[in-house]
Amino acid sequence: MGKKITVLSILCGILTVVGFRLWVDTPPTYASNKTVTVSATYNEPSASNDYINKSSGSLNKMMPYYMNDGGSPGRNCTTYIKVENILDNKEADVVQESDQQQKQAEQQASHKRIALTFDDGPHKNVTNQILMTLQKYEVKATFFVIGQNAAKYPDVVKKADAFGHEIANHTWSHKNLTKLNVQQIQAEIDRANEAICNATGKTPTMYRPPFGALDEKVRESIDLTPVLWNIDTLDWQHKTPKKTLANLKAQAKDNGIILMHDIHQQSADALEDVILYLKEEGYEFVTTSQLL
């Protein structure tokens, strides 16, 4: 009787162990009908350390790795790039995007161009004040000087040229060129060119006919490029800074050539407000030759 009980106890023990093993080793079933292998002895930290130790130092610790290839056949872990490279690329993208935005903003800001021009100078005091205002706001302009005045104030012409402004021809004595013969036209231009060259060492490439009077005879008689205007402040007529600014606001446009005069004190007084308004409106100041 005692032997039977002992045998039964042993059999029960065996069955219990076998049943437990069968229960543990049976893969659980999920709603997707896919199975995953579960091991009662699996320990992630120790398995990870074991994997690193077995790599004998060949493991690149900067590259992600997956135990047993992450359970996906055919996975090639070497295709994964370093996290630091991902961050570097993102930072580079941000910098590139920022540069592109800045360039777009600069292009938009410089889309509208405008040229400031001054006629009939130089004047000893007025032109100097205008030069100081232009220098203050880093604006370049074109001065169409009269030869007689250039000969009288060569230092002012030289100063304007040294500041990077353009010096152009406005004839010797401001005569209506359409009323002159060819020889007289050429004399007006040549004498003014000589006075400008004596002051700056440069010969002008542009001229503005007095009163804007230009015809085919004048064009054919002069080798220089004629330059008129399409924004008239009428500063010479009203001699009022506020009206100068108002006229500018009413006519300002892209590729505009502004007509002012550097022989009237009121024109010099209006210049700062003119520049500030145009800058606020997004205009880029250029010289006449740059615009043409």
Side-chain angles (χ1 to χ4, degrees):
M1 184 69 178
K3 291 181 179 180
K4 290 182 179 181
I5 293 173
T6 301
V7 172
L8 288 173
S9 298
I10 293 173
L11 289 174
C12 287
I14 293 173
L15 290 173
T16 299
V17 172
V18 171
F20 175 78
R21 293 297 299 176
L22 288 173
W23 175 78
V24 169
D25 293 337
T26 301
T29 303
Y30 297 89
S32 62
N33 291 325
K34 294 182 179 180
T35 60
V36 288
T37 302
V38 178
S39 173
T41 61
Y42 178 77
N43 182 281
E44 185 173 3
S46 62
S48 176
N49 291 331
D50 182 60
Y51 178 79
I52 294 174
N53 293 334
K54 288 180 179 179
S55 299
S56 301
S58 63
L59 179 66
N60 183 352
K61 295 183 180 180
M62 289 300 296
M63 184 175 293
Y65 65 89
Y66 296 86
M67 296 302 300
N68 296 323
D69 288 335
S72 176
R75 183 193 294 271
N76 180 5
C77 291
T78 60
T79 61
Y80 288 84
I81 64 174
K82 297 178 182 180
V83 175
E84 63 180 5
N85 289 344
I86 296 175
L87 295 176
D88 289 343
N89 289 339
K90 285 184 178 180
E91 291 174 356
D93 291 342
V94 170
V95 172
Q96 183 177 5
E97 183 179 355
S98 177
D99 289 343
Q100 290 175 347
Q101 291 175 347
Q102 183 176 355
K103 288 180 180 179
Q104 290 175 354
E106 291 174 351
Q107 290 173 354
Q108 291 174 355
S110 63
H111 176 69
K112 297 185 296 184
R113 304 195 306 165
I114 205 161
L116 269 171
T117 68
F118 297 91
D119 283 12
D120 296 352
H123 183 281
K124 183 177 182 180
N125 299 321
V126 177
T127 303
N128 271 313
Q129 180 179 334
I130 286 174
L131 289 175
M132 292 301 99
T133 302
L134 294 172
Q135 192 77 353
K136 176 181 178 180
Y137 292 101
E138 299 181 341
V139 172
K140 302 304 181 199
T142 304
F143 289 85
F144 290 91
V145 304
I146 292 178
Q148 290 178 340
N149 292 337
K152 187 176 182 180
Y153 301 113
D155 290 344
V156 180
V157 178
K158 184 177 181 179
K159 182 178 180 180
D161 175 69
F163 279 8
H165 303 293
E166 285 184 333
I167 310 299
N169 192 317
H170 198 37
T171 74
W172 172 256
S173 59
H174 206 272
K175 292 179 180 179
N176 186 334
L177 298 181
T178 63
K179 305 296 183 181
L180 306 179
N181 61 39
V182 173
Q183 291 75 19
Q184 291 171 327
I185 293 171
Q186 292 175 343
E188 281 286 318
I189 296 297
D190 292 344
R191 291 186 70 184
N193 273 352
E194 183 179 358
I196 294 169
C197 188
N198 287 339
T200 66
K202 303 173 185 177
T203 301
T205 60
M206 300 178 296
Y207 77 100
R208 174 170 285 166
F211 316 106
L214 188 65
D215 60 16
E216 196 62 29
K217 179 184 64 176
V218 174
R219 288 181 182 274
E220 291 179 354
S221 302
I222 303 173
D223 292 333
L224 308 182
T225 301
V227 178
L228 298 179
W229 60 88
N230 54 16
I231 301 174
D232 194 347
T233 64
L234 296 175
D235 59 337
W236 63 273
Q237 186 179 75
H238 54 70
K239 297 181 182 178
T240 306
K242 288 185 178 180
K243 289 184 178 180
T244 296
L245 180 61
N247 288 340
L248 171 77
K249 289 181 177 181
Q251 302 175 61
K253 57 189 171 184
D254 186 26
N255 294 322
I257 298 178
I258 304 168
L259 175 60
M260 295 184 69
H261 297 77
D262 58 326
I263 57 173
H264 305 298
Q265 182 60 48
Q266 295 85 349
S267 299
D269 294 340
L271 181 58
E272 184 167 29
D273 287 339
V274 165
I275 292 174
L276 290 174
Y277 170 76
L278 291 172
K279 281 182 173 289
E280 288 174 358
E281 292 297 308
Y283 284 94
E284 175 193 3
F285 289 94
V286 295
T287 60
T288 304
S289 62
Q290 289 175 320
L291 193 61
L292 297 176

